[in-house]
Amino acid sequence: MTITGIVSSPITYLNLRSHTTASSFSLPPINSLKFSSPTLQSNTITFTTTSLRNPNSRLSVSAISLSSQETGSQTSFLDRRESGVLHFVKYHGLGNDFIMVNNLDSMEPKVTPEQAVKLCDRNFGIGADGVIFAMPGWSGADYTMRIFNSDGSEPEMCGNGVRCFAKFISDLNCLNGRQSFTVHTGAGLIIPEMQHDGKVKVDMGEPVLKASDVPTKIPPNKDQSVVKTKIEVDGVNWNVTCVSMGNPHCVTFGREGDQNLVVDELNLAEIGPKFEHHKLFPARTNTEFVQVFSRSHLKMRVWERGAGATLACGTGACAVVVAAILEGRSERNCTVDLPGGPLEIEWREDDNHVYMTGPAEVVFYGSVQL
């Protein structure tokens, strides 16, 4: 497996591989990381470097781990205070990747939206779908989470992001086994729970179905909700159901007259932006295109508001199951296949809450000159 990152000035391109190559050296595990010369240890990752130039950003990658079993601690690495330098950890949830920032000492993000755009650039930055800040708790919550998308916009919440957030907090505090805490987000209170198998289960709260609260300008057709309603996008009629999981989602199972959408045949880069910026969605929208395999097995592709096509979207998977149930297509407990892997989604009838379970893994630690 190869992971790429950018380092120093002039920038260095890292090829990080699990085998030894010429001119390579090994780094210690994350939880023993100090700013000293690397030493050879077992279960470490090796890398080679070659130079290239880019005047727009400087990134120094300090360590990497590909094992979900390794846990970090709030080491001297993240505690260091250097003017103009941001220490970070990169995590991913099914390929939906985030730059995690320890912002627990302040409610002011250490990175501006403009800087986030540069950091998320996959050619000239670290590369990510967003930057997530772990902040002090607010309004009775244990922690606060904020996120800047790769385009600099700030969404209310992110499902895969909150799983990565939970894993980040767990790693910082060296937590093991089943642990839960409360997180204040722009979508309200979210409760993630670390599982014994390393996955994260998140109580995503109740879905919002009232059209004006999603928000969408599509006229409601079922109580105050939009369920399997026809809208025209680029001259084609699509049947859509609108759901908010704290952020807006437009879920479609196909065009008018389609029996079953084959999502891999879609030109997502072409159709996605036309949904996102449609006049019927005043706050723009995330859009999920869904294929039904059975009443407990769905497949989706997503165009995320502010991030474009991503490998996974946790709130989107939740919205998909809610929409499938409302349209009579699925049971309340489903496996949802995303390009990055599966999520387990349950919309419980007893408390009306949606629960999402899936992985979150550390990729590497690094430092960047802002």
Side-chain angles (χ1 to χ4, degrees), residues 13 27 37 57 70-71 90 101 128 148 152 164 195 211 262 285 322 333:
Y13 181 83
L27 291 170
S37 298
S57 60
E70 290 181 349
T71 58
K90 184 172 176 179
V101 178
F148 293 153
C164 291
Q195 304 295 293
V262 180
T285 190
V322 171
N333 204 324

Side-chain angles (χ1 to χ4, degrees), residues 280-334:
L280 292 173
F281 302 105
R284 297 189 292 163
T285 190
N286 302 282
T287 309
E288 289 77 32
F289 301 87
V290 192
Q291 183 173 350
V292 179
F293 292 135
S294 73
R295 292 186 62 80
S296 61
H297 188 190
L298 311 173
K299 180 178 181 177
M300 64 172 268
R301 292 179 68 193
V302 60
W303 183 267
E304 289 198 53
R305 177 186 61 166
T310 62
L311 294 177
C313 177
T315 56
C318 294
V320 160
V321 172
V322 171
I325 293 168
L326 292 174
E327 293 193 19
R329 299 176 184 271
S330 78
E331 307 297 339
R332 286 187 169 266
N333 204 324
C334 289

Side-chain angles (χ1 to χ4, degrees), residues 19-248:
H19 60 273
T20 302
T21 60
S23 303
S24 66
F25 61 94
S26 300
L27 291 170
I30 286 175
N31 60 1
S32 66
L33 179 61
K34 305 293 181 183
F35 277 80
S36 58
S37 298
T39 57
L40 294 173
Q41 297 187 28
S42 60
N43 301 320
T44 59
I45 304 299
T46 63
F47 62 83
T48 62
T49 67
T50 57
S51 294
L52 60 93
R53 285 191 175 273
N54 174 9
N56 296 321
S57 60
R58 296 173 61 197
L59 174 64
S60 174
V61 175
S62 299
I64 181 164
S65 169
L66 300 178
S67 170
S68 61
Q69 302 303 315
E70 290 181 349
T71 58
S73 61
Q74 196 164 2
T75 66
S76 59
F77 176 76
L78 292 176
D79 286 339
R80 285 174 64 95
R81 297 291 181 265
E82 300 174 72
S83 178
V85 175
L86 176 75
H87 302 305
F88 67 90
V89 190
K90 184 172 176 179
Y91 283 76
H92 81 89
L94 297 180
N96 197 192
D97 54 345
F98 304 95
I99 300 163
M100 308 297 300
V101 178
N102 183 350
N103 216 116
L104 292 171
D105 59 350
S106 173
M107 292 298 289
E108 183 68 24
K110 294 180 179 179
V111 171
T112 67
E114 294 75 20
Q115 289 171 326
V117 172
K118 293 180 180 179
L119 293 174
C120 290
D121 190 292
R122 295 191 182 277
N123 298 110
F124 300 126
I126 299 165
D129 292 319
V131 180
I132 294 179
F133 307 92
M135 295 178 160
W138 187 82
S139 190
D142 296 319
Y143 301 97
T144 296
M145 179 181 112
R146 288 183 65 183
I147 177 172
F148 293 153
N149 282 326
S150 57
D151 70 348
S153 62
E154 182 173 4
E156 299 86 351
M157 215 275 292
C158 173
N160 284 313
V162 79
R163 293 203 318 279
C164 291
F165 181 98
K167 183 68 166 63
F168 183 46
I169 293 297
S170 178
D171 288 348
L172 284 176
N173 294 286
C174 299
L175 302 177
N176 294 305
R178 191 181 297 271
Q179 303 281 344
S180 66
F181 37 84
T182 55
V183 182
H184 176 77
T185 73
L189 192 68
I190 302 295
I191 307 174
E193 181 182 76
M194 300 299 302
Q195 304 295 293
H196 290 297
D197 61 2
K199 291 183 179 180
V200 185
K201 183 175 184 177
V202 185
D203 179 352
M204 300 289 286
E206 299 185 56
V208 175
L209 303 176
K210 186 178 179 181
S212 59
D213 292 339
V214 170
T216 179
K217 294 181 179 179
I218 302 173
N221 68 328
K222 185 177 181 181
D223 298 326
Q224 300 183 65
S225 306
V226 174
V227 179
K228 202 175 182 181
T229 295
K230 180 177 69 177
I231 68 169
E232 184 178 325
V233 181
D234 197 31
V236 178
N237 290 327
W238 294 77
N239 291 319
V240 303
T241 293
C242 296
V243 179
S244 172
M245 291 303 307
N247 53 356

